[in-house]
Amino acid sequence: MRLGILGTGNIFSRYVTGLNTFPSLQIARVGDIDTTRAKEAAAEFGIVAWGDDQELYADDSLDIVVNLTPPVHHAATIKAALQAGQHVYVEKPLATTVADARGVLEVAVASGKLLGSAPDTFLGSASQTARKALDDGLIGEPIGASFFIGHSKAERWHPDPRFLFQAGGGPVLDMGPYSLAILVNLLGPISTVSASSRIGASVRTVTSPNRVVDTIDVDVPTHAAAIFSFASGAIATAQLSFDVWDSHLPHIEIYGTEGTLSLANPNHFDGDVRVKRHSDDEWIVLPPATALFGAVGTPEQHRRGLGVNDLAQALEGGPHRANSTFAFHVLEALCAIDDSSDQHLPITLQSTCSRPAPA
Ligand SMILES: NC(=O)c1ccc[n+]([C@@H]2O[C@H](COP(=O)([O-])OP(=O)(O)OC[C@H]3O[C@@H](n4cnc5c(N)ncnc54)[C@H](O)[C@@H]3O)[C@@H](O)[C@H]2O)c1
């Protein structure tokens, strides 16, 4: 499959590293509205063709566009690529609003092209190990779950973290997709969401090296508490925050009638999954259900591109796991957090999805 990568910013190099580990995927072109960036990226990684966004859409030798633009550009750029006849894999979130995402899905259907979306960490060994444990009935029937998202400290490492504090960002849409995609993969679709959210500090100070701004005016809530009721009957409690700098809360836990499952960092592909059943005295680390991508904590684990490979395999007739229906449902549930907070009401979701096939 010939890939065109749209957007050569901060996450680009990790995608190149990840995509290069899949022999059937070839990065054939890069495109960026900042063509200087595209040229430098092509030179650094030996990619033959580079140019602006329009040249990428016009390149009919490409099979899949890997969209790494900032979230506010996702809806327009996905549509442009689909309408140009390209299959698309987009970074999270699918779009910054439910209405925009719905419009994107309509264009995808009309175009007959496949649309996949991050996050793809739920395809990694840690999440798949948890999926197998649940499907095998290891902790009985899931009754509850919890997840906690703390500070990404982006002001310290991202040269231009403005998009993280604007529409489409915040802990809810920037980090929320990782945890919630894993929970929907484990527990199935969500029916209602109740939440409260607020802005923490209205101005953030940026200290990252090579920063392009010193301060950011915050436009989106940076602290949220939410309750997700799943169609299965399970209830998850969550805290999503860019205002909690440190805590001892776990990343994700599932509470079943027979025991508890504790998951690894949802932003990583691998990591230990532990179980403690009522009969166990100690937590037990489960054997990985799928192959590891490298030792825990090493760069090899950054398998960005697993979702692109998932889309490529779907084009060959395989199951499409990180698909747009799934991503849309996760996005609708996350957007319901601020809606519920604003309206002081639980929100009933309009969409649903199937649990993706186990990997
Ligand atoms: N940075 C991370 O660690 C990280 C991690 C996981 C996912 N992501 C996701 O990846 C995406 C990109 O994040 P980033 O941190 O690389 O952003 P970034 O701002 O560093 O880079 C985005 C690039 O896209 C280009 N661009 C903007 N609009 C465009 C358009 N219309 N057409 C073509 N190019 C365009 C910009 O010029 C820039 O080079 C986001 O959706 C983000 O949520 C980022």
Side-chain angles (χ1 to χ4, degrees), residues 35-97:
T35 47
T36 308
R37 274 194 188 175
K39 183 180 181 182
E40 286 171 1
E44 184 178 352
F45 293 99
I47 299 160
V48 180
W50 59 271
D52 65 15
D53 51 339
Q54 300 304 321
E55 288 168 275
L56 185 139
Y57 302 138
D59 186 343
D60 58 15
S61 78
L62 301 177
D63 297 300
I64 300 171
V65 170
V66 181
N67 187 338
L68 307 182
T69 63
V72 286
H73 297 282
H74 285 178
T77 50
I78 295 169
K79 286 185 196 171
L82 289 169
Q83 285 166 339
Q86 294 155 332
H87 304 286
V88 179
Y89 179 84
V90 64
E91 250 303 332
K92 48 77 195 169
L94 182 59
T96 57
T97 66

Coordinates of all heavy atoms in Angstrom, one line a residue, residues 35-97:
T35 N 5.1 23.9 3.3 CA 5.9 23.1 2.4 C 7.4 23.0 2.9 O 8.1 22.0 2.5 CB 5.8 23.6 1.0 OG1 6.0 25.0 0.9 CG2 4.5 23.2 0.4
T36 N 7.9 24.0 3.6 CA 9.2 23.9 4.1 C 9.4 22.7 5.0 O 10.3 21.9 5.0 CB 9.6 25.1 4.9 OG1 9.4 26.2 4.0 CG2 11.1 25.1 5.3
R37 N 8.3 22.5 5.9 CA 8.3 21.3 6.8 C 8.3 20.0 6.0 O 8.9 19.1 6.3 CB 7.1 21.4 7.7 CG 7.3 22.2 8.9 CD 6.2 21.9 9.9 NE 6.3 22.8 11.0 CZ 5.4 22.9 12.0 NH1 4.3 22.1 12.0 NH2 5.6 23.7 13.0
A38 N 7.4 20.0 5.0 CA 7.2 18.8 4.2 C 8.6 18.5 3.5 O 9.0 17.3 3.5 CB 6.1 19.0 3.1
K39 N 9.2 19.5 3.0 CA 10.5 19.2 2.3 C 11.6 18.7 3.3 O 12.3 17.7 3.0 CB 11.0 20.6 1.7 CG 12.3 20.4 0.9 CD 12.7 21.8 0.3 CE 14.0 21.6 -0.5 NZ 14.4 22.9 -1.0
E40 N 11.6 19.3 4.5 CA 12.6 18.8 5.5 C 12.3 17.4 5.9 O 13.2 16.6 6.1 CB 12.6 19.8 6.7 CG 13.3 21.1 6.3 CD 13.1 22.2 7.5 OE1 12.5 21.9 8.5 OE2 13.6 23.3 7.2
A41 N 11.0 17.2 6.1 CA 10.6 15.8 6.6 C 11.0 14.8 5.5 O 11.5 13.7 5.8 CB 9.1 15.8 6.9
A42 N 10.7 15.1 4.2 CA 11.0 14.2 3.2 C 12.5 13.9 3.1 O 13.0 12.8 3.0 CB 10.5 14.7 1.8
A43 N 13.3 15.0 3.2 CA 14.8 14.8 3.2 C 15.3 14.0 4.4 O 16.1 13.1 4.2 CB 15.4 16.2 3.2
E44 N 14.7 14.2 5.5 CA 15.2 13.5 6.7 C 14.9 12.0 6.7 O 15.8 11.2 7.1 CB 14.6 14.1 8.0 CG 15.1 13.5 9.3 CD 14.5 14.1 10.5 OE1 13.7 15.1 10.4 OE2 14.7 13.5 11.6
F45 N 13.8 11.7 6.1 CA 13.4 10.2 6.1 C 13.5 9.6 4.7 O 13.0 8.5 4.6 CB 12.0 10.1 6.7 CG 11.9 10.5 8.2 CD1 11.5 11.7 8.6 CD2 12.4 9.6 9.1 CE1 11.5 12.1 9.9 CE2 12.4 9.9 10.5 CZ 11.9 11.2 10.9
G46 N 14.1 10.3 3.8 CA 14.3 9.6 2.4 C 13.0 9.4 1.7 O 12.8 8.3 1.0
I47 N 12.0 10.3 1.9 CA 10.7 10.1 1.2 C 10.8 10.9 -0.1 O 11.1 12.1 -0.2 CB 9.5 10.6 2.1 CG1 9.5 9.7 3.4 CG2 8.2 10.5 1.3 CD1 8.8 10.4 4.5
V48 N 10.5 10.2 -1.2 CA 10.8 10.8 -2.6 C 9.9 12.0 -2.9 O 10.4 13.0 -3.3 CB 10.6 9.7 -3.7 CG1 10.9 10.3 -5.0 CG2 11.4 8.5 -3.4
A49 N 8.6 11.9 -2.7 CA 7.7 13.0 -3.1 C 7.2 13.8 -1.9 O 6.9 13.3 -0.9 CB 6.5 12.4 -3.8
W50 N 7.2 15.1 -2.1 CA 6.7 16.0 -1.0 C 6.1 17.2 -1.7 O 6.3 17.5 -2.9 CB 7.9 16.5 -0.1 CG 9.0 17.2 -0.8 CD1 10.1 16.7 -1.4 CD2 9.0 18.6 -1.1 NE1 10.8 17.6 -2.0 CE2 10.2 18.8 -1.8 CE3 8.2 19.7 -0.8 CZ2 10.6 20.1 -2.3 CZ3 8.6 21.0 -1.2 CH2 9.8 21.2 -1.9
G51 N 5.3 17.9 -0.9 CA 4.6 19.1 -1.5 C 3.6 19.6 -0.5 O 3.6 19.3 0.7
D52 N 2.6 20.4 -1.0 CA 1.6 20.9 -0.2 C 0.4 19.9 -0.1 O 0.4 18.8 -0.7 CB 1.1 22.3 -0.6 CG 0.4 22.3 -2.0 OD1 0.1 21.2 -2.5 OD2 0.3 23.4 -2.5
D53 N -0.7 20.3 0.6 CA -1.8 19.4 0.8 C -2.5 19.1 -0.6 O -2.8 17.9 -0.8 CB -2.8 20.0 1.8 CG -3.2 21.4 1.4 OD1 -2.4 22.1 0.7 OD2 -4.3 21.9 1.8
Q54 N -2.6 20.1 -1.5 CA -3.3 19.9 -2.7 C -2.6 18.9 -3.6 O -3.2 18.0 -4.3 CB -3.5 21.2 -3.5 CG -4.3 22.2 -2.7 CD -5.7 21.7 -2.3 OE1 -6.4 21.0 -3.1 NE2 -6.2 22.0 -1.1
E55 N -1.2 18.9 -3.6 CA -0.4 18.0 -4.4 C -0.6 16.6 -3.9 O -0.6 15.6 -4.6 CB 1.0 18.4 -4.3 CG 1.3 19.6 -5.2 CD 2.7 20.1 -4.9 OE1 2.9 20.9 -3.9 OE2 3.7 19.8 -5.6
L56 N -0.8 16.4 -2.6 CA -1.0 15.1 -2.0 C -2.4 14.5 -2.4 O -2.5 13.4 -2.8 CB -0.9 15.2 -0.4 CG -1.0 13.8 0.3 CD1 0.0 13.8 1.4 CD2 -2.4 13.6 0.8
Y57 N -3.4 15.4 -2.3 CA -4.7 14.9 -2.8 C -4.7 14.5 -4.2 O -5.4 13.6 -4.7 CB -5.8 16.0 -2.6 CG -6.0 16.5 -1.1 CD1 -6.2 17.8 -0.9 CD2 -5.9 15.6 -0.1 CE1 -6.3 18.3 0.4 CE2 -6.1 16.1 1.2 CZ -6.3 17.4 1.5 OH -6.4 17.9 2.8
A58 N -3.9 15.2 -5.0 CA -3.9 15.0 -6.5 C -3.1 13.8 -6.9 O -3.1 13.4 -8.1 CB -3.4 16.3 -7.2
D59 N -2.3 13.2 -5.9 CA -1.5 12.1 -6.3 C -2.3 10.8 -6.3 O -2.5 10.2 -5.3 CB -0.3 12.0 -5.2 CG 0.7 10.9 -5.6 OD1 0.4 10.1 -6.4 OD2 1.8 11.0 -5.0
D60 N -2.7 10.4 -7.5 CA -3.6 9.2 -7.6 C -2.8 7.9 -7.5 O -3.4 6.8 -7.6 CB -4.5 9.3 -8.8 CG -3.8 9.4 -10.1 OD1 -2.5 9.1 -10.1 OD2 -4.4 9.7 -11.1
S61 N -1.5 8.0 -7.2 CA -0.8 6.7 -7.0 C -0.9 6.3 -5.5 O -0.5 5.2 -5.2 CB 0.7 6.9 -7.3 OG 1.4 7.6 -6.3
L62 N -1.5 7.2 -4.7 CA -1.6 6.8 -3.2 C -2.8 6.0 -3.0 O -3.9 6.2 -3.5 CB -1.6 8.1 -2.4 CG -0.5 9.1 -2.6 CD1 -0.8 10.4 -1.7 CD2 0.8 8.5 -2.1
D63 N -2.6 5.0 -2.1 CA -3.8 4.2 -1.6 C -4.4 4.8 -0.4 O -5.7 4.9 -0.3 CB -3.3 2.8 -1.3 CG -2.8 2.1 -2.5 OD1 -3.5 2.0 -3.5 OD2 -1.6 1.7 -2.5
I64 N -3.6 5.2 0.6 CA -4.1 5.6 1.9 C -3.5 7.0 2.3 O -2.2 7.1 2.2 CB -3.8 4.6 3.0 CG1 -4.4 3.3 2.7 CG2 -4.3 5.1 4.4 CD1 -4.0 2.1 3.6
V65 N -4.3 7.9 2.8 CA -3.8 9.1 3.4 C -3.8 9.0 4.9 O -4.8 8.7 5.5 CB -4.6 10.4 2.9 CG1 -4.2 11.6 3.8 CG2 -4.5 10.6 1.5
V66 N -2.6 9.2 5.5 CA -2.5 9.2 6.9 C -2.5 10.6 7.4 O -1.6 11.4 7.1 CB -1.2 8.5 7.3 CG1 -1.0 8.4 8.9 CG2 -1.1 7.1 6.8
N67 N -3.6 11.0 8.1 CA -3.9 12.4 8.3 C -3.4 12.8 9.7 O -4.0 12.4 10.8 CB -5.4 12.6 8.2 CG -5.8 14.1 8.4 OD1 -5.0 14.9 8.9 ND2 -7.0 14.4 7.9
L68 N -2.3 13.5 9.8 CA -1.7 13.9 11.1 C -1.7 15.4 11.2 O -0.8 16.0 11.8 CB -0.2 13.5 11.1 CG 0.1 12.0 10.8 CD1 1.6 11.7 11.0 CD2 -0.7 11.1 11.8
T69 N -2.8 16.0 10.7 CA -3.0 17.5 10.9 C -3.6 17.7 12.3 O -4.1 16.8 12.9 CB -3.9 18.0 9.8 OG1 -5.2 17.4 10.0 CG2 -3.4 17.8 8.5
P70 N -3.6 18.9 12.8 CA -4.2 19.2 14.1 C -5.8 19.0 14.0 O -6.4 19.1 13.0 CB -3.9 20.7 14.4 CG -2.8 21.0 13.5 CD -2.9 20.1 12.3
P71 N -6.4 18.7 15.2 CA -7.8 18.3 15.2 C -8.7 19.2 14.5 O -9.7 18.8 13.8 CB -8.1 18.2 16.7 CG -6.8 17.8 17.3 CD -5.8 18.5 16.5
V72 N -8.5 20.6 14.6 CA -9.5 21.5 13.9 C -9.5 21.3 12.4 O -10.4 21.8 11.7 CB -9.2 23.0 14.3 CG1 -9.6 23.3 15.7 CG2 -7.8 23.4 14.0
H73 N -8.4 20.7 11.9 CA -8.4 20.5 10.4 C -8.9 19.2 10.0 O -8.9 18.9 8.8 CB -6.9 20.7 9.9 CG -6.4 22.1 10.1 ND1 -6.7 23.2 9.3 CD2 -5.6 22.6 11.1 CE1 -6.1 24.3 9.8 NE2 -5.4 24.0 10.8
H74 N -9.2 18.3 10.9 CA -9.5 16.9 10.5 C -10.7 16.8 9.6 O -10.6 16.1 8.5 CB -9.7 16.0 11.8 CG -8.5 15.7 12.5 ND1 -8.4 15.0 13.7 CD2 -7.2 16.0 12.3 CE1 -7.2 14.8 14.1 NE2 -6.4 15.4 13.3
A75 N -11.8 17.4 9.9 CA -13.0 17.2 9.1 C -12.8 17.6 7.7 O -13.1 16.9 6.7 CB -14.2 18.0 9.7
A76 N -12.2 18.8 7.5 CA -12.0 19.3 6.1 C -11.0 18.5 5.3 O -11.2 18.2 4.2 CB -11.6 20.8 6.1
T77 N -9.9 18.1 6.0 CA -8.9 17.3 5.3 C -9.3 15.9 5.0 O -8.9 15.3 4.0 CB -7.5 17.4 6.1 OG1 -7.8 17.0 7.4 CG2 -6.9 18.8 6.1
I78 N -10.0 15.3 5.9 CA -10.5 13.9 5.7 C -11.4 14.0 4.4 O -11.3 13.2 3.5 CB -11.3 13.4 6.9 CG1 -10.5 13.2 8.1 CG2 -12.0 12.0 6.5 CD1 -11.3 12.9 9.4
K79 N -12.4 14.9 4.4 CA -13.3 15.0 3.3 C -12.6 15.2 2.0 O -12.9 14.6 1.0 CB -14.3 16.2 3.5 CG -15.3 15.9 4.6 CD -16.3 17.1 4.6 CE -17.2 17.1 5.8 NZ -17.9 18.4 5.9
A80 N -11.6 16.1 2.0 CA -10.8 16.4 0.8 C -10.2 15.1 0.2 O -10.2 14.9 -1.0 CB -9.8 17.5 1.0
A81 N -9.6 14.4 1.1 CA -8.9 13.2 0.7 C -9.9 12.1 0.2 O -9.6 11.5 -0.9 CB -8.0 12.6 1.8
L82 N -10.9 11.9 0.9 CA -12.0 10.9 0.5 C -12.5 11.3 -0.9 O -12.7 10.5 -1.8 CB -13.1 10.9 1.5 CG -12.8 10.3 2.9 CD1 -14.0 10.5 3.8 CD2 -12.6 8.7 2.8
Q83 N -12.8 12.6 -1.0 CA -13.4 13.1 -2.3 C -12.4 13.0 -3.5 O -12.8 12.9 -4.6 CB -14.0 14.5 -2.2 CG -15.3 14.4 -1.4 CD -15.8 15.8 -0.9 OE1 -15.0 16.7 -0.7 NE2 -17.1 15.8 -0.6
A84 N -11.1 12.9 -3.1 CA -10.0 12.8 -4.1 C -9.8 11.3 -4.4 O -9.0 10.9 -5.3 CB -8.7 13.4 -3.6
G85 N -10.6 10.4 -3.7 CA -10.5 9.0 -4.1 C -9.6 8.2 -3.2 O -9.2 7.1 -3.6
Q86 N -9.1 8.8 -2.1 CA -8.2 8.1 -1.2 C -8.8 7.6 0.0 O -9.8 8.2 0.6 CB -7.1 9.1 -0.8 CG -6.2 9.6 -2.1 CD -5.6 10.9 -1.9 OE1 -6.1 11.8 -1.2 NE2 -4.5 11.1 -2.6
H87 N -8.4 6.4 0.5 CA -8.8 5.9 1.8 C -8.0 6.7 2.8 O -6.9 7.2 2.6 CB -8.4 4.4 1.9 CG -9.0 3.5 0.9 ND1 -10.3 3.2 0.8 CD2 -8.4 2.9 -0.2 CE1 -10.5 2.4 -0.2 NE2 -9.4 2.3 -0.9
V88 N -8.6 6.9 4.0 CA -8.0 7.8 5.0 C -8.0 7.1 6.4 O -8.9 6.5 6.8 CB -8.9 9.1 5.2 CG1 -8.3 10.0 6.2 CG2 -9.0 9.8 3.8
Y89 N -6.8 7.3 7.0 CA -6.7 7.0 8.4 C -6.3 8.4 9.1 O -5.4 9.0 8.7 CB -5.5 6.0 8.7 CG -5.4 5.7 10.2 CD1 -6.2 4.8 10.8 CD2 -4.4 6.4 10.9 CE1 -6.1 4.5 12.2 CE2 -4.3 6.1 12.3 CZ -5.1 5.2 12.9 OH -5.0 5.0 14.2
V90 N -7.1 8.7 10.2 CA -6.9 10.0 10.8 C -6.5 9.9 12.2 O -7.0 9.0 12.9 CB -8.1 10.9 10.6 CG1 -9.3 10.4 11.3 CG2 -7.8 12.4 11.1
E91 N -5.6 10.8 12.7 CA -5.3 10.8 14.1 C -6.6 11.2 14.9 O -7.5 11.7 14.4 CB -4.2 11.8 14.4 CG -2.9 11.1 14.8 CD -3.0 10.2 16.1 OE1 -3.8 10.4 16.9 OE2 -2.2 9.2 16.2
K92 N -6.6 11.0 16.2 CA -7.7 11.3 17.0 C -7.7 12.8 17.3 O -6.6 13.4 17.3 CB -7.7 10.5 18.3 CG -6.4 10.4 19.1 CD -6.1 11.7 19.9 CE -4.7 11.7 20.3 NZ -4.3 13.0 20.9
P93 N -8.8 13.4 17.6 CA -10.2 12.9 17.5 C -10.6 12.9 16.0 O -10.1 13.8 15.3 CB -11.0 13.8 18.4 CG -10.3 15.1 18.3 CD -8.9 14.8 18.2
L94 N -11.6 12.1 15.7 CA -12.1 12.0 14.3 C -12.4 13.4 13.8 O -12.1 13.8 12.7 CB -13.4 11.1 14.4 CG -14.1 10.8 13.1 CD1 -13.2 10.1 12.1 CD2 -15.3 10.0 13.4
A95 N -13.1 14.2 14.6 CA -13.4 15.6 14.3 C -13.6 16.3 15.7 O -13.5 15.7 16.7 CB -14.6 15.7 13.5
T96 N -13.7 17.6 15.7 CA -13.8 18.3 16.9 C -15.3 18.5 17.5 O -15.5 18.8 18.6 CB -13.2 19.7 16.8 OG1 -13.9 20.4 15.8 CG2 -11.7 19.6 16.6
T97 N -16.2 18.2 16.6 CA -17.6 18.2 17.1 C -18.4 16.9 16.5 O -17.9 16.4 15.4 CB -18.4 19.4 16.6 OG1 -18.5 19.4 15.1 CG2 -17.7 20.7 17.0

